[in-house]
Amino acid sequence: RGTFGVPLATRFSLDCRRRRGYCDSPGDCPMKEADFRRLVSRIPAQPGIGFGGRYVDYVVFIPFVLSRGEYCLLFEKRAAGIRQGGEIGFPGGRFEPDVDESREAAALRETVEELGVDRALLSVLGQTESVFTHWGARVSAFIGTIGTDDPAALSPNPDEVERTLLVPVSFFAGAKPAQYRIRLEMQPSYVDEQGTVRVTFPAEELGLPRHYWKAWDGGFHAVSAYRYAGEVIWGLTAELVLSVLRMLE
């Protein structure tokens, strides 16, 4: 036993020849004092939030536009042929580490690509709280401005954007969103298009309790929704709007 009585014969070691892998047996690569000191030295003074790469990394840009003397939020209605087609949202997309130098840069890139706006008209004011979704995404949201309310300054990409929607912030400040709940069900298997059962979580094989062998209750997920000009602003987009409103309280 080493410091604090921690057993040194662990299954994982930074010094193991199978670096960052698991050993064949507990005695193959014991964790030694040097490993433990390295671990201690790397404990962050101000820990962030991490999920070991299990979450897909997305970014959005929350654009304010000054129009006729009042600030508005600019949304886009997604083109029918893409994922979440027909829904209202903010510009955004996936953070690509090989392309983007930062999440902020990714948010700006996506905004330029989707809205066809000149990069010089975009200004980032800061980042709001990140959101972790129940469907496995980390969303980093950046608040900023588009320096014009002239519709001609935007040339939305028709493959991604059906149209844009400018909504006064005063609308959201004066309207409470409707509140709903979605019941979640955890499915350890599914039936594909050919009718074949695909087991994605072998609970029975793992020896887990029987109630995990079939679908089990995943609880309820709260959903907010605003209605505006015949459109519904809901889900994650509505939550981002609410995060902005909390800053105004």
Side-chain angles (χ1 to χ4, degrees):
R1 289 180 179 270
T3 308
F4 306 125
V6 177
L8 295 181
T10 61
R11 288 181 61 82
F12 184 77
S13 172
L14 295 175
D15 287 338
C16 179
R17 69 182 187 284
R18 296 181 181 85
R19 203 167 182 82
R20 297 184 182 276
Y22 286 90
C23 306
D24 294 330
S25 64
D28 280 355
C29 35
M31 185 177 186
K32 299 182 180 180
E33 192 68 30
D35 299 324
F36 187 77
R37 287 197 299 270
R38 187 180 299 111
L39 169 67
V40 172
S41 71
R42 293 177 178 175
I43 297 175
Q46 295 182 334
I49 300 175
F51 291 89
R54 292 172 180 259
Y55 277 66
V56 182
D57 218 338
Y58 287 95
V59 296
V60 297
F61 185 60
I62 303 175
F64 281 82
V65 175
L66 183 60
S67 178
R68 298 180 181 179
E70 72 170 319
Y71 278 98
C72 303
L73 287 171
L74 181 72
F75 300 86
E76 57 185 35
K77 184 170 185 177
R78 305 190 195 285
I82 66 172
R83 184 173 176 268
Q84 297 179 312
E87 295 188 29
I88 303 296
F90 291 118
R94 194 162 180 169
F95 168 57
E96 303 287 354
D98 296 336
V99 176
D100 305 307
E101 62 181 23
S102 66
R103 289 176 177 82
E104 178 181 315
L108 293 171
R109 173 181 57 77
E110 290 285 350
T111 301
V112 170
E113 291 176 0
E114 294 175 13
L115 296 181
V117 62
D118 189 334
R119 169 64 182 84
L121 291 174
L122 302 180
S123 177
V124 176
L125 304 175
Q127 181 177 356
T128 186
E129 56 200 21
S130 294
V131 177
F132 292 85
T133 73
H134 66 280
W135 41 269
R138 167 189 172 173
V139 182
S140 301
F142 296 86
I143 297 175
T145 61
I146 297 179
T148 179
D149 65 347
D150 182 1
L154 304 181
S155 181
N157 180 351
D159 292 333
E160 298 190 64
V161 180
E162 180 181 319
R163 68 183 183 91
T164 59
L165 181 67
L166 203 60
V167 183
V169 175
S170 59
F171 163 76
F172 295 109
K176 288 186 177 181
Q179 297 293 328
Y180 304 99
R181 295 198 305 166
I182 296 175
R183 182 176 178 272
L184 304 179
E185 188 174 71
M186 315 302 286
Q187 295 278 1
S189 63
Y190 70 98
V191 179
D192 66 17
E193 294 178 353
Q194 287 73 43
T196 303
V197 176
R198 301 291 184 183
V199 177
T200 56
F201 181 62
E204 182 177 0
E205 179 185 323
L206 292 170
L208 299 180
R210 294 183 67 89
H211 64 268
Y212 293 116
W213 297 8
K214 296 181 180 180
W216 71 90
D217 184 15
F220 288 89
H221 175 68
V223 177
S224 301
Y226 293 95
R227 295 180 183 272
Y228 181 84
E231 302 288 356
V232 178
I233 301 168
W234 72 287
L236 175 61
T237 302
E239 294 304 321
L240 292 173
V241 170
L242 288 168
S243 73
V244 170
L245 295 179
R246 285 193 290 270
M247 298 180 195
L248 294 172
E249 293 177 351

